[in-house]
Amino acid sequence: MNLGVSEKNTFVHSGVISKITGDSVIVSLEQNVHCESCRAKSACGISESNTKDIEIINSNDSFSINEHVKVVLKKALGLKAVFWAYVFPFILMFSTLLIASSFLKEWMAGILSLGILLPYYITLYFLKNTLKSAFKISILKT
């Protein structure tokens, strides 16, 4: 099994199909010995445990359970996901804190800056189907 960079802008992970429901395929990504030497392991998240399950929307190919596959992820998609999950909420929270601290007491500004994250993550939850189509992960038969 191979984990590595097949092209400059993509990551390829080996996995096994563990579940198929409708047009979605659940792939269990296998731990790989190459994780220790990979430069992107801190951004990848695959190296943190033995297996990870990932849901992939698939409408083209037919797969079977326990079939070995390759999961292809574009590097830009990972960076975009990190931005929307971590960087933008931090900027939103910090901006709210700076603006609110000029009008409110410190503790109120702090609570407001933390509270602004609740509608943000609720909005992300309701946009999950849109985000799934935007963050498309490919699956290939081996």
Side-chain angles (χ1 to χ4, degrees):
M1 298 300 150
N2 187 344
L3 168 73
V5 179
S6 64
E7 294 179 20
K8 187 175 183 177
N9 295 322
T10 61
F11 290 104
V12 178
H13 299 277
S14 297
V16 177
I17 295 178
S18 60
K19 186 177 180 182
I20 300 173
T21 55
D23 64 346
S24 109
V25 176
I26 306 293
V27 177
S28 296
L29 299 176
E30 301 167 351
Q31 183 182 17
N32 194 289
V33 295
H34 300 291
C35 285
E36 290 302 318
S37 63
C38 181
R39 292 184 302 154
K41 69 181 177 182
S42 61
C44 176
I46 300 301
S47 63
E48 295 173 2
S49 71
N50 291 341
T51 60
K52 296 272 186 179
D53 289 339
I54 186 168
E55 179 181 5
I56 301 169
I57 305 299
N58 176 49
S59 59
N60 300 341
D61 296 329
S62 61
F63 294 99
S64 59
I65 295 179
N66 294 327
E67 182 177 359
H68 290 274
V69 293
K70 299 278 185 187
V71 177
V72 180
L73 173 69
K74 291 182 181 177
K75 186 188 288 187
L77 291 179
L79 295 174
K80 190 185 297 185
V82 167
F83 175 79
W84 287 112
Y86 300 108
V87 177
F88 185 76
F90 176 76
I91 293 170
L92 181 67
M93 185 178 65
F94 193 70
S95 301
T96 304
L97 181 64
L98 288 177
I99 293 168
S101 64
S102 61
F103 299 109
L104 302 170
K105 294 180 181 178
E106 271 185 29
W107 67 272
M108 293 173 92
I111 290 174
L112 181 64
S113 67
L114 290 174
I116 199 75
L117 294 178
L118 186 64
Y120 175 74
Y121 282 115
I122 289 172
T123 303
L124 282 184
Y125 177 77
F126 285 119
L127 293 174
K128 68 181 173 184
N129 291 332
T130 306
L131 293 172
K132 277 185 184 180
S133 64
F135 293 102
K136 187 161 174 78
I137 300 171
S138 304
I139 183 172
L140 304 171
K141 292 185 176 192
T142 56

